[in-house]
Amino acid sequence: MEIDGTPVSVVRTEGEVFAINDICSHANVSLSEGEVEDCMIECWLHGSSFDLRTGKPSGLPATRPVPVYPVKIEGDDVLVSVTQES
């Protein structure tokens, strides 16, 4: 999805909801097409995984983090602020 022109992947895992920039910092591909496990999202192209809480990569080939965004749940709505990075 895009929020104000920013590609965002919203992920629910381990009872929490996270929002992370949807573009891998290594290969410019969509992270939302990757697998999620243990608060990590894996880039489907080269296998780098990013922490959903911090955006930091767990290993090569990615070396730069991706932005993560604050999430607020209001009833059935998931609110994401792309103007404030966590």
Side-chain angles (χ1 to χ4, degrees), residues 9-23:
S9 179
V10 177
V11 178
R12 182 182 179 109
T13 185
E14 299 185 9
E16 293 186 68
V17 178
F18 301 94
I20 189 167
N21 192 286
D22 192 35
I23 304 300

Side-chain angles (χ1 to χ4, degrees), residues 29-82:
V29 297
S30 176
L31 290 176
S32 61
E33 295 180 36
E35 305 243 347
V36 174
E37 187 174 330
D38 298 327
C39 282
M40 301 292 286
I41 190 166
E42 182 181 49
C43 177
W44 62 270
L45 187 59
H46 293 115
S48 287
S49 289
F50 298 87
D51 189 309
L52 291 167
R53 297 163 292 211
T54 65
K56 292 180 182 177
S58 65
L60 298 174
T63 58
R64 291 175 296 135
V66 293
V68 294
Y69 308 106
V71 174
K72 182 177 180 182
I73 308 296
E74 287 187 358
D76 291 336
D77 296 327
V78 177
L79 306 175
V80 178
S81 175
V82 295

